[in-house]
Amino acid sequence: MKITNIAIKTKTKNYSLIIGSNIIKKISKILNSKKINFEKCLIVIDENIPLKFRKKLIKNLKSKIKIVHIFKVSEKNKNYKSINNIHNILFKNRFNRDDCLISFGGGITGDVVGFSASTFKRGIKFINIPSTLLSQVDSSIGGKTGINNDFGKNLVGSFYQPEIVISDIELLKSLPKREIICGYAEILKSSLIEDLKKFNFLNSNIKKILKLKSPFIEKAIINSCKLKKKIVEQDEKEKNLRKVLNLGHTFAHAYESTLNFSNKLNHGEAVIFGIKNAIKYSFDLNFLSKKNFELIRNHILKIKLPNTLNKLFKEKDINKIIYFMKSDKKNSSKKINLVLLKDFGKIKINYQISDLKLKKFLISELNNKNL
């Protein structure tokens, strides 16, 4: 495939998102063309990345002074300790603001490294090389960084834009199917936010996309990235419009937190459940037509998830789920804010729901065998 260059222009920084196949070997050329200069870099590498890709990145950074740190990826390691470990390496090796911190990994790695970059000496150069489908279509774009704490997911963090994002589609071929489904959740979400045409493309080609067939996977990635670019440029710090990107996420983050980030449920799977919940509640409120509800629900059924909500949670877990939903950073009142769907491309971003109504809804959802 040809290299795609998506220019992202925010109030705090303009940068490029480069999408292509086998472009890690061109990284020095890409950085030179974008005038991104530094003498030394710390490369934080996701432990799940195959050795051949690690070697390729290190080799093709050529004359740069390179220090490598392998990051053991898990939601439980998305914490202050991991930030401190990275900071200590930077301090011990006398890094300054003109040097660079590079993330080479999935969304967890990008969040941790991005937050480390934003807080080291109040900001060091940061380059993101996302290695998973989820991170390529979602977390690497828009400058959100963050870590988890006892109160929930991503509650401590910053908005910090990178110097550049380099998405190499070749990396996706090393991923297990479950990781591809994880990323597909965000691709689906983007189509619902954008329009029926984008959804129909997914609906017609879901099997090809999940099998990473060209040019379907490339088009799906580029479509999602262009939507997120458009939204981030208008609302960099999630004051209003950017909240549409949280469709399904208030439920999803609470599910992950309730399970204490167990590998029984990854982020994308949680988002798919969250989207199911959001469209069902939208339908219950007569926001979403029966035709569109069934169209989306039937599409989701084509995604073969390893678990169901009613296998993961029991009624006794509902109070805990609601507790984490109330801790969600998007809430601005005593009630919980939900992002709901009125139609393809039409999102209601601040629907407030009481604890009692939410509890009744979650009970009915857990009793739904299709979930």
Side-chain angles (χ1 to χ4, degrees), residues 209-224:
I209 294 167
L210 291 176
K211 290 180 179 178
L212 305 178
K213 297 290 185 183
S214 185
F216 306 99
I217 182 63
E218 291 90 346
K219 185 174 179 180
I221 290 171
I222 290 167
N223 283 347
S224 291

Side-chain angles (χ1 to χ4, degrees), residues 192-193 244 247 339-343 345-349:
L192 301 179
I193 291 168
V244 302
L247 179 66
V339 178
L340 300 176
L341 188 68
K342 299 173 79 173
D343 197 352
K346 293 183 180 178
I347 311 295
K348 185 169 183 63
I349 58 174

Side-chain angles (χ1 to χ4, degrees), residues 85-114:
N85 288 341
I86 292 170
H87 281 170
N88 285 342
I89 296 170
L90 295 171
F91 283 120
K92 287 175 183 176
N93 289 279
R94 298 187 179 277
F95 273 67
N96 59 54
R97 290 179 181 176
D98 292 324
D99 296 320
C100 189
L101 192 48
I102 299 176
S103 170
F104 188 30
I108 294 174
T109 308
D111 275 3
V112 168
V113 178

Side-chain angles (χ1 to χ4, degrees), residues 9 213 284:
K9 299 177 180 179
K213 297 290 185 183
D284 289 350

Side-chain angles (χ1 to χ4, degrees), residues 11 23 34 37 64 67 89 185 215 219 260 277 296 354:
K11 289 182 180 179
I23 55 175
K34 299 298 179 183
N37 301 309
K64 310 294 184 186
I67 300 165
I89 296 170
K219 185 174 179 180
N260 196 24
N277 297 144
I296 299 164
S354 67

